[in-house]
Amino acid sequence: MRDLAAGFGYLLKGQRWVARHGRQYGFGLLPGLITLVLYLAALIVLAAWGADFVGWATPFADDWSSPWLGLFRGFLTAVLFALSLLLAVLTFTAVTLLIGQPFYDSLSETVDRDVSPDSTAPESQQPLWRDLWISARDSLRILVRALIWAVLLFALGFVPFVGQTVVPVIGFFVTGFFLAEELAAVALQRRDVQLRQRLALLRSRKTLVWGFGTPLGLAFLVPFVAVFLMPGAVAGATLMARDLLGEPIEEGGHREDADPAGAGPHETGAGPLN
């Protein structure tokens, strides 16, 4: 329970950090806004022409009598739109992080410098194109894992009682874990922590990760909220990554606009990555 509360605490601290650093917050909003416009445009196109696409994809049903033709294609159109929404939720963070890699990497590095006792931050030794490639590759691998879980939980959803009670709760925790991984990857990739190591690191303190990612995933279900929470989520994930790696955190920060009330003793994590 202590780690669960600590994870949620990092989520709040990240939002508080960007609230005190307005310029960083403003830059951090841009990738989310760009992704949101792209996703809304895609969903509008789907809503306008989804029925036509379903009709084109099911020519075998052209001769079906009413009302079966309308019911069948209407059901497929609804399923297509629902799956598209699910895919949008699962990929929004990954696509936003990919588009905003330079923005979020700079934000995360600034957080590292601000909370580090010696005002230093790990820097990527890779060129930008290499970082973008690694980020895209790892995000695709995480998406595949998330989709496997989504299919499994969808199937379990048909189990009486369990499907309506236990499965949704598990789904939120699974979503929270993968969401936290995507966000923490910004800071961990700069430290050259590979995907396999990142997953092992996050699994070693799952309650900390759930405390951070699960409430954030719930908040992301509210339309447009993800855009405004993303900068703070990246900042909070950077703090969580420092904790996971056992790096000290000076909560008051070094900047003049840091909140004096937030100053306190140094935090240390559970230990270095083995």
Side-chain angles (χ1 to χ4, degrees), residues 109-174:
E109 187 174 329
T110 303
V111 173
D112 265 325
R113 293 186 189 280
D114 190 43
V115 302
S116 173
D118 57 2
S119 300
T120 61
E123 297 181 7
S124 175
Q125 303 304 313
Q126 305 282 355
L128 178 60
W129 70 266
R130 178 66 177 171
D131 281 336
L132 289 173
W133 162 248
I134 294 173
S135 178
R137 181 196 65 191
D138 290 350
S139 293
L140 182 60
R141 291 175 176 175
I142 290 297
L143 178 60
V144 170
R145 287 175 167 86
L147 287 175
I148 291 173
W149 272 99
V151 171
L152 176 61
L153 292 173
F154 178 77
L156 292 175
F158 292 99
V159 178
F161 183 72
V162 174
Q164 292 74 47
T165 55
V166 179
V167 171
V169 175
I170 295 175
F172 284 127
F173 278 100
V174 170

Side-chain angles (χ1 to χ4, degrees), residues 13 17 50 59 72 76 96 154 165-166 174 206 247 263:
K13 290 173 184 176
W17 191 92
F72 175 68
L76 288 183
T96 302
F154 178 77
T165 55
V166 179
V174 170
K206 288 191 289 288
E247 298 175 2

Side-chain angles (χ1 to χ4, degrees), residues 54-75:
V54 169
W56 170 81
T58 57
F60 58 86
D62 287 343
D63 297 329
W64 288 15
S65 60
S66 180
W68 305 115
L69 176 61
L71 289 173
F72 175 68
R73 285 182 171 167
F75 172 74

Side-chain angles (χ1 to χ4, degrees), residues 1-11 173 205-215:
M1 290 299 294
R2 184 177 180 180
D3 257 1
L4 201 66
F8 185 65
Y10 286 131
L11 179 59
F173 278 100
R205 294 182 67 186
K206 288 191 289 288
T207 51
L208 177 72
V209 176
W210 287 336
F212 178 88
T214 303

Side-chain angles (χ1 to χ4, degrees), residues 10-11 13-15 17-18 24-25 28-29 31-32 93 96-98 100-112 179-180 182-188 190-191 212 216 220 226-242:
Y10 286 131
L11 179 59
K13 290 173 184 176
Q15 300 302 325
W17 191 92
V18 295
Q24 292 290 332
Y25 180 66
L29 284 178
T93 300
T96 302
L97 290 173
L98 183 61
Q101 177 79 18
F103 296 90
Y104 294 137
D105 198 55
S106 175
L107 188 154
S108 175
E109 187 174 329
T110 303
V111 173
D112 265 325
L179 181 59
E182 288 279 7
L183 292 165
V186 177
L188 294 174
R190 277 191 294 108
R191 292 162 167 82
F212 178 88
L216 185 62
F220 276 15
V227 174
F228 298 100
L229 292 185
M230 275 295 289
V234 172
T238 301
L239 297 175
M240 183 178 68
R242 294 184 67 90

